[in-house]
Amino acid sequence: MLAGLSLSSVAQDYQQWPVPAQLDNEMCYSPKSTHFSVWSPMAKSASVYIYKNDEAGCKPKVVKLRKMSDGTWQADVKGNWHGYYYDFRVMLQGDKEERLHSPGIFVKMVGTNGKRGYVADMSETNPEGWESDKRPPMKSFADMIVYELHHRDFSMDTESGMKNSGKFLALTEENTVTSDSLASGLSHLKELGVTHIQILPSYDYGSVDESKPDVPQYNWGYDPMNYNVPEGSYATTTADPTARVREFKQMVMACHKAGIRVILDVVYNHTYNTTNSPLELTAPGYFYRKNADGTWANGSGCGNETASERPAYRQFIIESVRHWAEEYHIDGFRFDLMGIHDIETMNEVRKALDEIDPTIYVGGEGWAASSPLYDDAKLAMKSNAYLMPGISVFGDEMRDGLRGGWQNDAEGAFLVGEPGNEESVKFGIVGAIEHPQIDYSKVNYSKVPWALQPTQMISYVSCHDDMCIADRIKSTAPKASRDEQISLFCMAQTAVFTSQGIPFIFAGDEMMRNKKGVHNSFESPDSINTIPWHQKKEYKVAFDYVRGLIQLRKEHPAFRLGNADEVRKHLAFLPVGEKNVIAYKISGHAGGDSAEELIVVLNSNKKTVELELDNKEYTILAMENRIDLSGKIGTCLGGKVRVPAQTAMILKF
Ligand code: CA
């Protein structure tokens, strides 16, 4: 309170800032006039600049805006401005000149590189048939199977069979095939059986220059510019600002038609620019947390962190997810570094989406890159997940319990037979809930369960971050043969897909894609990031296995109970005589399953182990990297069951 007094007063000031009822109405077009509005409560003047085109040298018409009591500046500009571009400039008390141009904080259509807004009506962007587009049916979050993809990873390979390489439209192409005549693209996803795709940032981000579509550029896109507009580099053109919007909708509609829901990766926790971001240009000092010395707080590790606890930013996030859910029919949201946001905001997001459709998914990363500048007890961290019902969090306990810690790519864990990781894997199998048979003191990261319900945990072994699983297996088991690598992969995915959490797979892992050992490929070239589709044939065993696991999960509700009490009642870990063995049974007609008992065994030892089971005849559903639900693999008799080295086994009675 002594040092940096002026900053404390800034922090207090924002409480007094009026917040308008709506932030998402910065431009409302009609043929007779266009209404402009920008929220800038501390400004002493504000203007809208209207341009005939998107060219840098275009001379604007400048219209002064009038201040309203809710902190917005508005004007109704007579005439038909359809097809024009616009931006705002504001001047604050103490400013010597107007601040830089900004397209506003809630622009919905933009020109190239998102510098200017575009005047048109959103309804013009609807593709044919959009009115009848519907979310595919879904009963429970427990039924989800998430496939995380980047547009370029998915369709840049010349053997992908998709024509719209690296574009939204690639996901609209039907019946495409690889050079080996195997299903690719959307058909591949249908064949695999996933229920959701989770697309890496697809809002307008800053690190790819949209004006150079012929220059190969790659970025994951965790650098937000305009939160409420699709990214231009994934559109066929940015010369027409409606194209990116229309093509995004076409993508959603095609996925829905294929029975697949779409989750958007949203990055409200930080922005690409700070001083020159639209948020800071229109409402300086409001949207970001600042340290006492005046520097930007940086819980994101990307130069700044936003302040979701402040009413206007909380409202912004809620209006933004509503915009995507309603305008674009988006079915779910994955919050990047959700631990930077406050719990109340996340619960408000859940509530707002429940009002639209309670089956819209909300999940996120329950951590930050470093400590956010806010009260720990109020942050949407994994350890606070129990305070956010209906919101899911990535479970890194099982992920690292299987593959090894995220800090060291050479460190192996359960998969390569490192003992001591069993409880971390078991923690993931039950979905991070309380279970009487888990010794939480031996779990790697969490010494207490953090989920109220198992669907609050996302079950995974690999995602876009860190090494993908094939690379990690190579790194931690460098002497493993190709067959052993496949075997360890299948064991990892067995844990993921038979977990009571929400299973999640990184695009291409099902054909054991690699990234040539690159740990952080966020701006690596396509040669590192692209899924090599020829591997679908080469790694048919892996693909068939993952597909089989998905079928298994769909056919047996016992693997997706969706309720913590049910899991505690029906799922029991079996005694095992060896380290590096995990065995569990789900029984008692769990989830109404017709199978009385399902048994899953993971043996990461380099030797066959014996497991004591009831003396009866079991049908083998999975064994030695093969899954067959019809019973063709055969049966085995209880008593002592032999589980081959480095494999998973699934039995049914
Ligand atoms: Ca962009």
Side-chain angles (χ1 to χ4, degrees), residues 63-330:
V63 179
K64 287 276 175 206
L65 302 176
R66 203 156 58 89
K67 189 168 190 184
M68 314 304 277
S69 60
D70 63 1
T72 60
W73 294 75
Q74 302 188 7
D76 208 38
V77 187
K78 298 272 181 276
N80 189 346
W81 299 100
H82 188 273
Y84 279 70
Y85 293 78
Y86 69 92
D87 57 29
F88 299 105
R89 287 188 86 173
V90 305
M91 195 165 174
L92 267 67
Q93 298 290 347
D95 282 355
K96 289 201 174 68
E97 55 186 32
E98 284 184 313
R99 287 173 183 249
L100 295 177
H101 293 268
S102 148
I105 65 172
F106 219 111
V107 65
K108 295 175 184 171
M109 281 179 277
V110 293
T112 303
N113 284 326
K115 290 191 181 343
R116 289 178 189 159
Y118 180 71
V119 180
D121 193 295
M122 285 303 285
S123 64
E124 295 167 38
T125 63
N126 293 348
E128 203 184 326
W130 185 241
E131 296 71 23
S132 52
D133 175 64
K134 279 198 173 64
R135 305 178 198 286
M138 182 178 99
K139 283 190 188 136
S140 160
F141 294 128
D143 299 343
M144 294 173 65
I145 292 149
V146 182
Y147 185 92
E148 183 194 42
L149 72 84
H150 183 284
H151 299 289
R152 287 184 80 91
D153 290 27
F154 195 63
S155 58
M156 284 306 286
D157 183 12
T158 50
E159 295 179 348
S160 76
M162 286 169 270
K163 293 190 194 79
N164 294 284
S165 314
K167 305 292 181 190
F168 294 134
L169 290 182
L171 278 161
T172 66
E173 296 181 42
E174 292 179 351
N175 304 316
T176 58
V177 290
T178 69
S179 46
D180 300 303
S181 301
L182 299 173
S184 70
L186 201 53
S187 300
H188 169 79
L189 298 179
K190 281 163 79 172
E191 183 187 15
L192 191 58
V194 299
T195 64
H196 288 66
I197 56 167
Q198 178 173 302
I199 49 176
L200 263 78
S202 297
Y203 53 74
D204 181 29
Y205 62 77
S207 51
V208 165
D209 185 349
E210 298 175 4
S211 71
K212 299 188 174 91
D214 298 326
V215 178
Q217 301 175 73
Y218 185 97
N219 207 288
W220 284 343
Y222 291 93
D223 43 53
M225 297 269 290
N226 297 302
Y227 283 107
N228 300 296
V229 192
E231 162 60 13
S233 63
Y234 300 140
T236 54
T237 178
T238 57
D240 171 7
T242 64
R244 61 173 85 193
V245 180
R246 186 176 302 108
E247 291 169 14
F248 190 105
K249 289 178 176 176
Q250 283 175 270
M251 168 188 72
V252 172
M253 195 162 72
C255 288
H256 284 177
K257 201 177 146 205
I260 296 168
R261 290 186 169 215
V262 182
I263 299 169
L264 197 63
D265 192 333
V266 287
V267 188
Y268 298 110
N269 69 80
H270 73 274
T271 55
Y272 184 45
N273 298 312
T274 313
T275 310
N276 293 335
S277 76
L279 296 175
E280 181 66 10
L281 285 175
T282 51
Y286 186 90
F287 289 110
Y288 301 93
R289 297 178 187 140
K290 265 190 176 178
N291 296 309
D293 64 1
T295 55
W296 304 104
N298 187 20
S300 69
C302 299
N304 60 65
E305 71 183 59
T306 55
S308 60
E309 68 280 10
R310 297 181 192 167
Y313 198 52
R314 178 175 293 159
Q315 186 178 322
F316 175 85
I317 293 172
I318 292 165
E319 287 189 42
S320 181
V321 295
R322 288 192 70 104
H323 174 64
W324 286 104
E326 292 177 329
E327 182 68 36
Y328 290 91
H329 303 179
I330 283 293

